[in-house]
Structures are given as structure tokens and as C-alpha cells.
Amino acid sequence: MNPDPRLLSIQDFTYPLPAERIAPEPLPDRAASKLLVSRHGQLTDKNFRDLPGELPAGALLVFNDTRVVRARLLARRPTGGQVELFCLEPVAPHRSLELALQQTGHCTWRCLVGNGRRWKEGPVMLDFTAADGQPATLHAERQAQEAGTALIDFRWEPAELPFAEVLRAAGHLPLPPYIDRPDTATDAVRYQTVYAAAEGAVAAPTAGLHFTPEILAELQEKGFATGHVTLHVGAGTFQPVKADHMADHPMHTEPILVTAGLLRQLLAHRPRPVIAVGTTSLRTLETLYWLGVGLLHAAADATDPTPATATELQVAQWRPYEMADAAARISPEMALTALLQHLEATGTDTLQASTRLLIAPGYQFRLVDGLITNFHQPESTLLLLVAALLGPGWRTIYEHALSHGYRFLSYGDSSLLLP
């Protein structure tokens, strides 16, 4: 019987991580990182350039094409002190990330505020130079405080600039909190994947940072299929688990976008292996299954007056564990087909949804057969995901990485996990 992940203690998912093993900088060459291959429990030390020769035959690799936005704004108080605003999510006039980034003149975002104790009232300001070389100014005023975050009203001149351009020109890359240094011109390139396309993340999907155009071309030459999803990584990916048991840890919500083309590609590819490039791609793929289950469940529930096409597309934190018995009768093919039918019924070719899915030991994987990922922090939800995929063998892998000189976390080395 699978364990109930709500009863798990995060203290059972820790390991000693010396500070010197955390990579503070990217390697000069993306593909020069090490690659630890775990195939059915057997470990092999490789270089990331060896990846195409280590993948299962006929595999489909799914990448997260989100692009990190320059979400850290360093503003000044009228008295000269600095206030840091870390933009987390839009609130008004749009909650849609795409629309919020195109908003002109003014907007409101939920932010983390650094050095805010001395910011009592009134606006803070930031002067910057727009892309066309003209001087510009951003004003920020705190509207409300909510559970460790603040609602910040932004206004700027020239007002015709979209907020995306304000962030690009005035902001800084939000490096992870364990990289304790200012961002640099190198980070502007290396904290993005080479295939990044859709702006909206405040943290990089770091498993993809190792890929180069040459490796992607080699994958194509060797006949591997590739596909893309979009999950805009939120700051919650760095949120430590403070609760004693996972039942008391709230997962953050992250928006996902998946095209009908990718859904059809997944359907046509089955039952050949699907390899997720990164935990965000994995969570997106597994979310697709549960979105399909939700549509089918709503359509079959005679007591539910809401038509399946109007069902809000989101996956809650514990939904897979609560619906495991009902989902046992729903195949991945059925779930993917339900999503395609939903898109046809709503006249769109892109699925827009959100997920709070927590993958922990006790989870049964539906769409993913393997994972390319970096080495994650102790007592993190990302480590729980790895433990769900590998079982207790995750410890052996991390002990091997520590004893063989692997670099850890966002700018660290990589692994290919094939359970």
C-alpha cells in the first residue's frame, strides 16, 4: 500500500550539503557539467555531452520553455535608502501573466519586499533607461500587506511602455537566495535556457540550462522527439518546508500553458518513454493527466450542474491522492483525449491552467518515465519529487554525487534518472 504523503515528515528527506558544494557560478561551457546516470539503480558517471547516448531508444524529451523575467526591482526611498521589490504575481488590472506583462502605465503586483521596515509610507522610485534610450521613471507604492507579501501599485513614465519592457530595462534577474551575490551580465545569458521563449518565470527551469544548440541538434539527428510545455516557475520553488508534516505545507500555484499539438504528440507517442527535462516539465505533464481526469469526472457526475467544458482547469495539491481510486479506471490516453476535446469545445488550441500538484512518495506516475534534473536542496519539495520517482534509492544517488565531486543546485551538475 502506498504511503499517504500528507503524513510524511520532511526531516526524513534531508542530507548534509556543505556550502562549498553549492555552485555559485555557471561553468564557462553549458555542456561541460557532469551527468550522473541512474538506470534501474545502477549509477554511471558521465559528461552532459553524453546525454544523447544515454537516453532510452525512442524517447520523447519534454522541455519547459519559460523565460525568466527580471523581477527584482531596486528602488530608492525619498531619503535615499534602498528597497527591493520582488514581483511574484500580477493582481490588477489583470491576473493573467501574459496580459499583465503587456499592461501600460500602471499595474498592481504581489511582491516580496526587502529592507521594507524603514519604508513607512509614500512611493519609492527607480530611474532607468528604456530600450529606445529615453529616460524613464518607475514609482511604487505599497497598498496592503498580506501574509509576508505586499500589494505594490506601480506607475511609470513614459506610460506607453509595457510592464515587460519596464522589467527588462529596470529589473535584475532573481537569482536563487542561496547565490548570495549581485546578478551579472553572464547571468543574463546563463540563467536562461537556450530555448526560452515565453516570459513569466521568476526562477529558471535549471535542468535545461545544460542544453546547447549542438546537443539539441544531436538529439534530432539521433531520432529523439522533442516537445515543449510552459510552466512559469514561481518563487515558491525556493520556499522551504517549515511544517513537521507535509499535510501542513501549502504548495504555491503556478500557471501552465500546453498546446493541442503537444497533447496530440503525447498521445501518438505512447507507450514509448517520455523523459521530462526538469521537475517543472514533469509536474506539468503529470498535471495534464489530472486535468483530464477532472474533466471526465465532472462530465460523469450527474449531480454536478457545471458542464465539463466550463470546469476550472486547476489541480490542487492533494487531488491525485484523494482521487486515486477513481483515476485507476482512467488511462493516460483517456485523460489526454478529454483535454483535446475540451480545447475543441472551447475553440482554442492552447490549454491554460494552473497547478499546485505536490509529487511525493506515494504518487503514481502516469505520463513520465524518466527525468533529467539537477541536485536539489535538502528538505525541499523538489527532493520529495525525486524520492517519489526513485524510492529510497534517492539517498544512494545523492551520497554518490557528494562523494564524487558533483556541484549542487541551480548552477550545479545534472542527472538522468531512469527508474
Side-chain angles (χ1 to χ4, degrees), residues 38-40 55-62 266 269-277 282 285-286 332 365-372 389-390 416-419:
S38 173
R39 182 179 282 102
H40 313 307
L55 292 166
L60 164 63
L61 276 70
V62 179
L266 288 169
H269 190 78
R270 293 190 61 81
R272 290 169 291 172
V274 172
I275 307 298
V277 179
L282 187 150
L285 289 168
E286 292 295 312
F365 290 84
R366 264 65 177 201
L367 289 175
V368 173
D369 303 289
L371 173 66
I372 298 168
L389 185 69
L390 298 176
L416 170 61
L417 308 179
L418 301 171

Side-chain angles (χ1 to χ4, degrees), residues 348-378:
T348 181
D349 63 357
T350 300
L351 179 74
Q352 298 189 43
S354 64
T355 186
R356 295 179 58 223
L357 175 61
L358 172 65
I359 296 178
Y363 182 84
Q364 179 183 344
F365 290 84
R366 264 65 177 201
L367 289 175
V368 173
D369 303 289
L371 173 66
I372 298 168
T373 190
N374 287 14
F375 296 95
H376 303 293
Q377 286 182 295

Side-chain angles (χ1 to χ4, degrees), residues 9 16 48 91 98 100 103 113 118 129 131 135 172 181 185 189 195-196 218 259 293 310 331 343 381 391 418:
S9 170
F48 197 81
V91 175
E98 181 179 0
Q103 176 66 23
V113 179
R118 296 184 180 180
T129 303
H172 293 262
R181 60 171 177 78
V189 176
Y195 48 82
E218 185 178 351
T259 65
V293 168
S331 68
L343 292 182
T381 57
L418 301 171

Side-chain angles (χ1 to χ4, degrees), residues 68 77 82 85 123 132 134 145 172 174 376 396 410 413:
V68 183
R77 304 195 311 272
Q82 182 174 277
L85 303 174
D132 61 1
Q134 64 180 318
Q145 200 77 23
H172 293 262
H376 303 293
T396 302
S410 294
D413 293 315

Side-chain angles (χ1 to χ4, degrees), residues 304-384:
D304 186 354
T306 305
T309 54
T311 302
E312 188 174 0
L313 293 176
Q314 59 178 330
V315 173
Q317 180 168 339
W318 303 114
R319 185 174 192 168
Y321 310 96
E322 295 164 348
M323 295 187 66
D325 290 342
R329 299 184 295 273
I330 299 175
S331 68
E333 290 83 358
M334 293 167 64
L336 292 170
T337 300
L339 290 174
L340 281 168
Q341 291 172 344
H342 168 80
L343 292 182
E344 291 171 4
T346 53
T348 181
D349 63 357
T350 300
L351 179 74
Q352 298 189 43
S354 64
T355 186
R356 295 179 58 223
L357 175 61
L358 172 65
I359 296 178
Y363 182 84
Q364 179 183 344
F365 290 84
R366 264 65 177 201
L367 289 175
V368 173
D369 303 289
L371 173 66
I372 298 168
T373 190
N374 287 14
F375 296 95
H376 303 293
Q377 286 182 295
E379 300 185 6
S380 65
T381 57
L382 302 181
L383 189 57
L384 282 175

Side-chain angles (χ1 to χ4, degrees), residues 17-328:
L17 178 59
E20 62 269 19
R21 302 307 296 276
I22 299 173
E25 308 275 352
L27 293 174
D29 176 4
R30 288 180 186 266
S33 56
K34 295 183 179 182
L35 176 70
L36 178 54
V37 179
S38 173
R39 182 179 282 102
H40 313 307
Q42 299 297 312
L43 303 184
T44 310
D45 297 303
K46 294 285 186 176
N47 182 278
F48 197 81
R49 286 192 177 85
D50 300 321
L51 176 70
E54 298 295 325
L55 292 166
L60 164 63
L61 276 70
V62 179
F63 299 82
N64 180 6
D65 67 2
T66 188
R67 174 174 284 276
V68 183
V69 295
R70 301 174 71 87
R72 288 178 62 241
L73 296 163
L74 304 179
R76 68 179 189 281
R77 304 195 311 272
T79 54
Q82 182 174 277
V83 173
E84 177 181 334
L85 303 174
F86 187 169
C87 298
L88 298 177
E89 61 181 3
V91 175
H94 307 290
R95 289 188 176 272
S96 160
L97 189 59
E98 181 179 0
L99 293 176
L101 289 173
Q102 295 308 310
Q103 176 66 23
T104 57
H106 67 93
C107 60
T108 302
W109 281 61
R110 186 180 310 281
C111 299
L112 292 173
V113 179
N115 197 27
R117 290 184 179 178
R118 296 184 180 180
W119 181 21
K120 302 301 182 184
E121 59 183 12
V124 293
M125 297 175 57
L126 173 58
D127 294 321
F128 63 99
T129 303
D132 61 1
Q134 64 180 318
T137 303
L138 174 68
H139 304 263
E141 191 156 3
R142 183 162 42 195
Q143 299 297 316
Q145 200 77 23
E146 293 185 1
T149 64
L151 298 185
I152 304 295
D153 182 63
F154 292 107
R155 297 181 180 275
W156 58 92
E157 303 91 25
E160 63 269 17
L161 292 175
F163 193 58
E165 173 58 29
V166 173
L167 292 179
R168 277 193 290 268
H172 293 262
L173 275 176
L175 294 177
Y178 44 76
I179 298 181
D180 187 18
R181 60 171 177 78
D183 61 314
T184 66
T186 297
D187 295 311
V189 176
R190 296 297 304 282
Y191 199 58
Q192 303 280 11
T193 63
V194 297
Y195 48 82
E199 281 195 317
V202 298
T206 55
L209 297 181
H210 308 279
F211 285 84
T212 63
E214 292 76 18
I215 290 177
L216 293 172
E218 185 178 351
L219 290 171
Q220 185 175 11
E221 290 168 6
K222 289 182 178 294
F224 291 106
T226 59
H228 293 86
V229 296
T230 303
L231 181 146
H232 291 308
V233 191
T237 193
F238 302 121
Q239 180 182 348
V241 178
K242 297 180 180 178
D244 291 335
H245 293 90
M246 293 310 300
D248 299 318
H249 175 75
M251 282 291 284
H252 53 290
T253 300
E254 291 170 310
I256 65 173
L257 294 94
V258 178
T259 65
L262 190 278
L263 295 174
R264 286 190 287 267
Q265 186 179 15
L266 288 169
L267 263 175
H269 190 78
R270 293 190 61 81
R272 290 169 291 172
V274 172
I275 307 298
V277 179
T279 57
T280 57
S281 297
L282 187 150
R283 289 180 64 239
T284 303
L285 289 168
E286 292 295 312
T287 291
L288 293 177
Y289 173 79
W290 293 105
L291 291 172
V293 168
L295 289 171
L296 291 169
H297 188 263
D301 187 356
T303 65
D304 186 354
T306 305
T309 54
T311 302
E312 188 174 0
L313 293 176
Q314 59 178 330
V315 173
Q317 180 168 339
W318 303 114
R319 185 174 192 168
Y321 310 96
E322 295 164 348
M323 295 187 66
D325 290 342

